[in-house]
Amino acid sequence: MSLWDVLIDAGLMGLLLLVGQFLRAKVKLFQNLLMPASLIGGFIGLILGPGVLNILPFSDQLSGYAGILIAVVFACTPIGDEPMSKEDIKGVGGFFYQNTGILILQYAAGMTLALGVLNKIWPNLNDGFGLLMATGFYGGHGTAAAVGAVYKDYGWPEFFDLGNASATVGLVGGIVIGMALINWGTRKGYTIYVNSPKELPEEIRTGLIPKDKQKRAGKITVSNMSLDPLVFHLAIALFVTLLGKWFSGLIKGYVSWLSIPVFVSALIFGYLAQFVLKKTGSVEYVDRGTMQRISSSATDLLVLSAVASLKLDVIAANFGPLLISFIFGLVLNIVWFLYVSKYTSSRAWFERGIMNYGRSNGVIATGVLLNRVVDPDQKSRGLEDTGITDLLNRPIAIALQVLPPLFIVLGGKWPQYTTLAMWAAFIVLTVSALIFKWWTPGKMQGNQKK
């Protein structure tokens, strides 16, 4: 593979993103479904790429980009971030339980389904199959790429394709079912800021922001007479990612049985970079908005390349257990929305709950889109509290991405022990939510009515 092959891959992915955005802006179906341009482009790439028609001349490394891009995403995560204040954390207990509870439950229930049911029907199913639902639904394509990289080292490369199939179903299902829930909620009178999803601003539907509403993407913190600000921030992200790759290889070289995923190492060095930047006073030259743009750009490319490189034969060979897992996961998220989200917010439960529903089906962007449909002016604080709880539960999410695969591959009783540990964590969290009244089953919080 030459450098020109990389350019060709990048150029084709750029073309597919543009086509995806064009179709989002012109096709009513995609607008009504709020389908991301990266997902539209990914489906087109899947059909025209090596997996089906083989028209687009992608290299044989198309599926490998996801592993690099997810490392960039994790490297950017801590850099330039502001620490949370006590005031920020105050009052987010219910939302923390919404967000973190469904995260742990997806892992625990998914493993239980696989070990207790699916493995009985399909005896040759890998014990790690139970991780697929949570990996794809709550985690999304980024987590699928990350966990796929772990399992590739342990002799199950098919997890990458299965995980990305799960992420795709979670994302599409989250949007489609989310819009159905919104239509139902508006008819029931649960929404308090809008009366119909038709009130959604045109720029959200088409993805194109009119000139009078356009905003700057970030601050210029270094003079472009010295170095372009975007390159400055990109250099930080890429160098931190490189350190993550180096450290992962270093550990593997000294401890052959220990494999630390590159995205985990990149996150560690991201925190170290943030520490150095703060200690040296250089953090004032790092714009958090620009770092987020780099992370979001990497995520868009990750989604597109992951979907376009799906191996349909792998999915077809596991269609039965996948279908059951997908249906189970979608129903689980709906039940959580109706019976937990409803009783964990003191205000605007539907608007805040639909934000978490979208989040639990893939990415924060899905939750933001659904929240914007019913809360266009961001009055419910769903976005702010999601950001806070995501910071609080990030260590839990990362631990669930990294540790279960490492324990499950040990075989024997370890898959069962891992599942029990997940259930124990969920029970402890739920009991805490009941004690602190974060969750009050059957009783609306604040002055809200059923």
Side-chain angles (χ1 to χ4, degrees), residues 141-153:
H141 290 87
T143 301
V147 181
V150 175
Y151 266 115
K152 184 178 180 181
D153 291 338

Side-chain angles (χ1 to χ4, degrees), residues 15 30 37 43 67 99 131 144 213 231 295 322 334 360 390 428 430:
L15 172 63
F30 293 142
F43 282 128
N99 196 311
L131 300 176
K213 293 184 178 181
V231 174
S295 177
L322 280 176
I334 294 172
S360 63
D390 247 44
V428 169
T430 299

